[in-house]
Amino acid sequence: MVNSVQDRDTAARFTALILIGLLIVRLASILLTPLELYADEAQYWRWGQSLELGYYSKPPLIAWLIHATTSVFGDSAWAIRLPAPFLHTIAAWCLFLLGRRVAGPRTGFLAAVGYALMPAVWLSSAVLSTDGVLMPLWSVSLYLLWRVREGDAGWAGFLGLGLAVGAGFLAKYAMIYFAIGLVLVAVFDK
């Protein structure tokens, strides 16, 4: 039993160290890039100028995040992109927690680092998109769903799951697929 706790702690520390290192590299790249905003980012920045409950084609969470960071750091490209690497680091950590819970610390480590090193995640960590905002909420929801299925989440787990799924809908309408999955789990998983 002691070895399994030590393995869990070692894997958690090692995973956190790698994710923090990647976060630092991604933050440096955002601060140092000469690239201007791409069209979607500029649109989201414009939406963030006036906070609404929704916009032309997207839910509001991305504009709210941009509003928050530009209110503090000003209207620069790096300030607009600042949430992206943090969001993907959160998603990777949640995948670590899920993988560790499902199949052990090694699986958690591989899930987190594998996710963090995927080319699409590298790109999405350098720009702010609705997918980048959705992924940590999806990952938190998936982790909490697993905890609820195991029966050890308690009422806080159910509440957290509801809040994470609800926030996911504020990030991207594609969260409907997670909700459909929840219904299927409730119907078919004993």
Side-chain angles (χ1 to χ4, degrees):
M1 183 65 171
V2 172
N3 284 339
S4 67
V5 171
Q6 287 176 344
D7 290 345
R8 286 174 47 121
D9 292 345
T10 301
R13 282 193 295 275
F14 191 55
T15 304
L17 184 64
I18 288 173
L19 293 180
I20 290 168
L22 290 171
L23 175 63
I24 291 167
V25 169
R26 289 171 173 160
L27 288 171
S29 70
I30 286 174
L31 290 170
L32 299 174
T33 186
L35 298 177
E36 295 295 325
L37 298 178
Y38 76 99
D40 286 355
E41 283 178 315
Q43 176 180 313
Y44 304 147
W45 168 78
R46 177 67 185 100
W47 289 347
Q49 300 303 298
S50 74
L51 297 179
E52 306 290 340
L53 293 177
Y55 299 93
Y56 173 68
S57 62
K58 302 281 191 269
L61 191 54
I62 192 165
W64 295 351
L65 285 171
I66 291 171
H67 180 82
T69 58
T70 57
S71 293
V72 174
F73 299 109
D75 290 323
S76 60
W78 70 265
I80 291 166
R81 294 177 175 142
L82 186 62
F86 288 101
L87 293 169
H88 283 293
T89 301
I90 292 167
W93 184 253
C94 289
L95 292 175
F96 165 75
L97 294 174
L98 176 63
R100 182 177 72 176
R101 198 160 187 97
V102 171
R106 184 171 189 272
T107 301
F109 169 78
L110 291 173
V113 174
Y115 171 84
L117 293 177
M118 288 190 307
V121 173
W122 270 104
L123 173 63
S124 187
S125 293
V127 297
L128 190 59
S129 69
T130 54
D131 292 324
V133 177
L134 176 65
M135 293 313 294
L137 296 167
W138 192 290
S139 299
V140 167
S141 298
L142 196 56
Y143 173 66
L144 290 173
L145 175 61
W146 187 265
R147 298 272 318 262
V148 165
R149 280 186 72 247
E150 286 182 327
D152 73 340
W155 67 268
F158 281 95
L159 179 63
L161 177 59
L163 290 173
V165 171
F169 277 108
L170 292 175
K172 190 168 182 170
Y173 297 131
M175 193 66 175
I176 190 72
Y177 301 120
F178 192 92
I180 292 168
L182 275 175
V183 171
L184 292 174
V185 166
V187 169
F188 294 109
D189 186 16
K190 302 298 180 206

